C-alpha cells in the first residue's frame, strides 16, 4: 500500500525494531482502546486520540503508519488528524527506539553540568551516530545492535543533580561522562555463559 500517510510519516526501520512486536490490534489493545474512548462523550470520542497513541507506544515502542490508520478507524476520523497529533508531540516516537532508550536532559542546569558531553560519550560507547537527528521530528538515534537509543529531552525535574537521564523508566542523577560506561554496563544484555 502506498498511501499518502505512508509517504508522509517518518517510520523507517531501525535496528531497534527487533525488540518491539509489529503493530497488531490484539484483543487486549482493543479493550484498552474501547475503555479510553468510553471516557469521552460519544460525540467527542476523537478526544481519545492521545490516550490511544500512548497505549500503542507503550505496547509497541512507536507509532507506525498502520497504528495511525487503526486509531483513525477506531475514532472515525481521517488518519491525517491522528498524524497531526503524532507529529506535534516530541515524546511520541515514529520509529522504533532501542531496547534501552536513554533520554538525556539538555535544559540549562544539565547543559551546564555537561549533558552534551554525556551524550557524546554515550554515543561513543554504543556506536550511535546522531548526525541525522533533529530536535523534533527525528530525535531518536539507535545503536547498530538495536539495544540502545538516545535522545535529548527537556527538563527531567532534577536541576540540582545534573546531568540527569532516564533509561526507559529508570531515573539517573549526576551521570557525568566518566560514569557513562557504568550506566551502559548496567543495561547491557547479559550473554549466556
Amino acid at each position: 500500500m502506498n498511501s499518502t500517510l505512508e509517504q508522509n510519516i517518518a517510520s523507517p526501520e531501525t535496528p531497534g525494531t527487533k525488540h518491539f512486536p509489529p503493530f497488531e490490534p490484539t484483543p487486549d489493545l482493543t479493550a484498552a482502546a474501547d475503555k479510553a474512548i468510553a471516557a469521552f462523550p460519544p460525540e467527542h470520542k476523537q478526544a481519545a486520540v492521545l490516550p490511544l497513541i500512548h497505549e500503542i507506544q507503550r505496547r509497541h515502542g512507536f507509532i507506525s503508519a498502520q497504528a495511525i490508520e487503526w486509531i483513525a478507524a477506531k475514532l472515525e476520523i481521517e488518519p491525517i488528524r491522528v498524524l497531526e497529533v503524532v507529529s506535534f508531540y516530541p515524546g511520541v516516537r515514529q520509529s522504533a527506539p532501542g531496547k534501552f532508550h536513554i533520554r538525556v536532559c539538555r535544559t540549562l542546569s544539565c547543559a551546564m553540568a555537561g549533558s552534551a558531553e554525556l551524550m557524546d560519550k554515550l554515543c561513543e560507547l554504543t556506536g550511535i551516530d546522531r548526525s541525522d537527528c533533529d530536535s523534533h521530528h527525528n530525535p531518536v538515534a539507535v545503536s547498530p545492535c538495536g539495544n540502545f537509543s538516545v535522545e535529548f529531552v527537556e527538563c527531567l525535574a532534577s536541576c540540582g543533580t545534573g546531568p540527569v537521564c532516564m533509561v526507559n523508566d529508570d531515573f539517573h542523577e549526576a551521570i557525568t561522562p566518566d560514569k557513562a560506561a557504568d550506566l551502559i554496563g548496567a543495561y547491557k544484555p547479559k550473554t549466556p555463559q
Side-chain angles (χ1 to χ4, degrees):
M1 177 160 68
N2 192 11
S3 71
T4 303
L5 182 64
E6 288 175 325
Q7 293 171 14
N8 290 295
I9 185 169
S11 57
E13 288 286 315
T14 72
T17 305
K18 68 183 180 180
H19 298 295
F20 297 96
F23 177 76
E24 183 178 321
T26 63
D28 285 350
L29 176 59
T30 301
D34 291 342
K35 182 178 178 183
I37 293 167
F40 299 94
E43 66 274 15
H44 297 292
K45 70 180 181 178
Q46 71 274 12
V49 69
L50 199 53
L52 295 185
I53 288 168
H54 285 300
E55 186 66 28
I56 290 171
Q57 183 164 291
R58 185 181 67 75
R59 292 169 183 253
H60 297 279
F62 67 103
I63 307 299
S64 65
Q66 297 83 7
I68 288 173
E69 298 227 13
W70 184 79
I71 292 169
K74 287 292 285 179
L75 299 177
E76 299 175 348
I77 58 177
E78 290 298 316
I80 191 66
R81 299 295 166 230
V82 180
L83 180 57
E84 289 170 340
V85 177
V86 167
S87 61
F88 179 77
Y89 290 105
V92 178
R93 295 184 292 267
Q94 294 182 53
S95 58
K99 181 176 183 178
F100 301 105
H101 183 58
I102 305 168
R103 293 175 282 172
V104 177
C105 179
R106 68 169 172 200
T107 4
L108 185 59
S109 296
C110 284
M112 291 177 65
S115 63
E117 293 83 0
L118 172 61
M119 177 64 83
D120 290 345
K121 189 64 173 180
L122 291 169
C123 290
E124 175 189 322
L125 293 168
T126 58
I128 293 175
D129 176 9
R130 292 191 70 250
S131 62
D132 288 337
C133 289
D134 66 42
S135 62
H136 187 79
H137 294 290
N138 187 27
V140 177
V142 184
S143 65
C145 65
N147 288 325
F148 295 97
S149 58
V150 294
E151 83 176 297
F152 273 124
V153 295
E154 298 310 322
C155 190
L156 291 175
S158 188
C159 297
T161 60
V164 296
C165 64
M166 292 184 73
V167 180
N168 295 344
D169 291 328
D170 300 335
F171 189 76
H172 298 276
E173 298 173 302
I175 303 297
T176 54
D178 61 317
K179 295 178 182 175
D182 290 338
L183 178 72
I184 295 296
Y187 290 95
K188 262 196 177 155
K190 308 297 183 237
T191 54
Q193 297 181 0

